[in-house]
Amino acid sequence: QVQLVESGGGSVQAGGSLRLSCAASGRSLSTYDMAWFRQAPGKEREFATVINWSGTNTYYLESVKGRFIISRDNAKNTVYLQMNSLKPEDTAIYYCAARSASYATYRNIDSYKYWGQGTQVIVSS
């Protein structure tokens, strides 16, 4: 019912910035919590950030807090991840995910029903 497509990944030097986009189709995302997860080579997929359905609440992984900003534009049916002051340890495939109304914790990966294919982010030293 919901298709998600990420874009905006690439290669950047440490200290640089990237803005990822996640475009949704199939239905409006206005009733969905939207999250970004990431997975580095050889590592578990981890929660990075989320913005709730109304845009009134956000949550960030501690290591990205103050550097990453999640936002959403419901008119464009798109969620964004602005990444600043990038570090080599941010290197990962970044996945966009969506869930309808849920009482599960935001970091609960199993609560997200829809996933994008991911976009690669490489941060060089």
Side-chain angles (χ1 to χ4, degrees):
Q1 290 183 313
V2 177
Q3 296 80 47
L4 304 174
V5 179
E6 303 97 335
S7 63
S11 182
V12 66
Q13 288 186 290
S17 298
L18 286 172
R19 188 172 83 152
L20 307 184
S21 298
C22 174
S25 61
R27 62 169 56 188
S28 173
L29 54 71
S30 62
T31 61
Y32 290 79
D33 297 331
M34 301 296 297
W36 290 93
F37 290 77
R38 66 184 188 179
Q39 187 166 23
K43 305 294 184 181
E44 293 279 334
R45 189 172 301 186
E46 68 175 354
F47 171 85
T49 181
V50 65
I51 184 166
N52 77 332
W53 68 272
S54 65
T56 59
N57 184 261
T58 59
Y59 181 83
Y60 296 89
L61 179 69
E62 188 65 30
S63 63
V64 309
K65 193 175 299 181
R67 299 188 298 118
F68 290 11
I69 303 171
I70 188 170
S71 62
R72 64 193 301 160
D73 185 341
N74 287 347
K76 295 182 178 179
N77 223 30
T78 301
V79 63
Y80 303 97
L81 181 62
Q82 179 67 47
M83 304 185 294
N84 300 316
S85 301
L86 283 163
K87 303 175 180 180
E89 49 263 47
D90 295 319
T91 295
I93 299 174
Y94 283 72
Y95 297 91
C96 180
R99 71 180 191 182
S100 57
S102 175
Y103 294 103
T105 181
Y106 290 130
R107 65 175 61 248
N108 184 346
I109 192 169
D110 294 323
S111 70
Y112 292 86
K113 183 175 178 64
Y114 305 106
W115 292 83
Q117 293 296 310
T119 185
Q120 178 74 64
V121 171
I122 300 174
V123 184
S124 59
S125 302

